[in-house]
Amino acid sequence: MTLENSDNITSLFLKAANQHPDAVAIIEGVNNITYGQLEMQVKNYAAYLLKKGIKPGDRILVFVPMGINLYKTVLAVFHIGAVAVFLDEWVSLKRLELCCRIAKCKAFIAPWKIRTLSILSKELRAIPIKLNVTGRGDISNISLYASKPNDSALITFTTGSTGNPKAANRTNQFLLAQYNALQPLLPENSKVDMTMLPIVLLLNLGTGKTSVVTKFNPRKPEKFQAGSVYAQLKENGVQSLTFSPYYLLEISKYLLKNELNLPELKSIISGGGPIFPDEAKIIAKAFKDVKCDIVYGSTESEPIAHTDILNFLNISNEIKADEGLFVGKIDISASVKIIPMQDSEVNTIESLPLRQVGEIIVSGSHVLTSYFNSEDAFRLNKIKSENTIWHRTGDAGWLNEKNELFLMGRCK
């Protein structure tokens, strides 16, 4: 389903809740919540935020683990036109405080244990409003805030090439464009999806499908228990997976070692990092009857290119190792050019010929066009050419005559 300009992620969720009130929205361990129940929790929490003095445009730092409470919180923040701000769960105290200075949040939402620990941070102590995750308010006067397309909805931090955090400003328009760009990759016939990627679960809530929260700790990938996740997949009848390569490979090894399969699984999408041919062979063998797509993208642009795993293996066998890593054909929603590599800012675009290595740049409606409170980040990572803003990926690569992209590593 393609969104209209008048829609935003919350309005799409509310439509899904109206159409499928009794369908399970999220499964988190032994707990689950239907779309109808989640809608009521979102409205109650939105009323609580208003009661606490949160207004449209206010930035709220959200420190809630991935699960039912997180999506209740985020949708409630969107519901009243406020802006959710996220940091990585494994962020250091020094980086946290730098990000807080950039975001200048009015409120901080977290479970009580994290709110207690926040006393150790000067920047967190300075945030004026501290909120719990269980608050409720009077929903009798709650209505969906009429957000504009260019209003900020979500701010996430990513590390730039200099190591300084960049505040990626995801507007309502950007989230809708990202939704529309990713929808063709997500299987239409899947009713139950397991994803490790928080943004994908958020987009799932606009489709009426069930999302299963993966049992894993992103701060400790080495302690990932493939057997526990396999049990989740079997128990919940998961039909599609959205996993990063490392965890997909761990699941694949577990299945092969124990001679297991997942007959209900029909589709896999893997992104967030590279997959190499030897790894792809293991994944393809473990999931020989499953459609598996590999997606290349970044925080600022997802997707850029993609391919199915069998095509990836076929082309990888045809090229030499020093010719790079095949990452797929350019997505229909993206425009990609290869430009000369340079460390400084770029003001004019000089496209290199096909098969010549340079920096990969991308534009499109689903490509991030701004950073919050950081002109330097924009200057170093964006190129404004006429009415188009191009994003510098920082990756080196080349294009062939079929509009297929090959990655050569980082430019630096």
Side-chain angles (χ1 to χ4, degrees), residues 146-168:
S147 299
K148 297 180 178 63
N150 288 323
D151 285 348
S152 297
L154 189 63
I155 292 175
T156 57
F157 282 88
T158 178
T159 302
S161 56
T162 62
N164 294 321
K166 299 179 294 182

Side-chain angles (χ1 to χ4, degrees), residues 383-397:
I383 308 169
K384 191 170 184 179
S385 177
E386 297 178 348
N387 295 322
T388 302
I389 294 177
W390 294 81
H391 171 65
R392 300 177 64 182
T393 65
D395 289 335

Side-chain angles (χ1 to χ4, degrees), residues 368-407:
L368 192 83
T369 59
S370 66
Y371 299 103
F372 178 77
N373 204 19
S374 183
E375 293 181 5
D376 286 344
F378 183 91
R379 180 173 53 82
L380 292 173
N381 294 280
K382 306 295 179 184
I383 308 169
K384 191 170 184 179
S385 177
E386 297 178 348
N387 295 322
T388 302
I389 294 177
W390 294 81
H391 171 65
R392 300 177 64 182
T393 65
D395 289 335
W398 56 275
L399 284 166
N400 67 11
E401 295 78 6
K402 297 179 181 179
N403 210 28
E404 293 171 331
L405 185 62
F406 295 79
L407 196 63

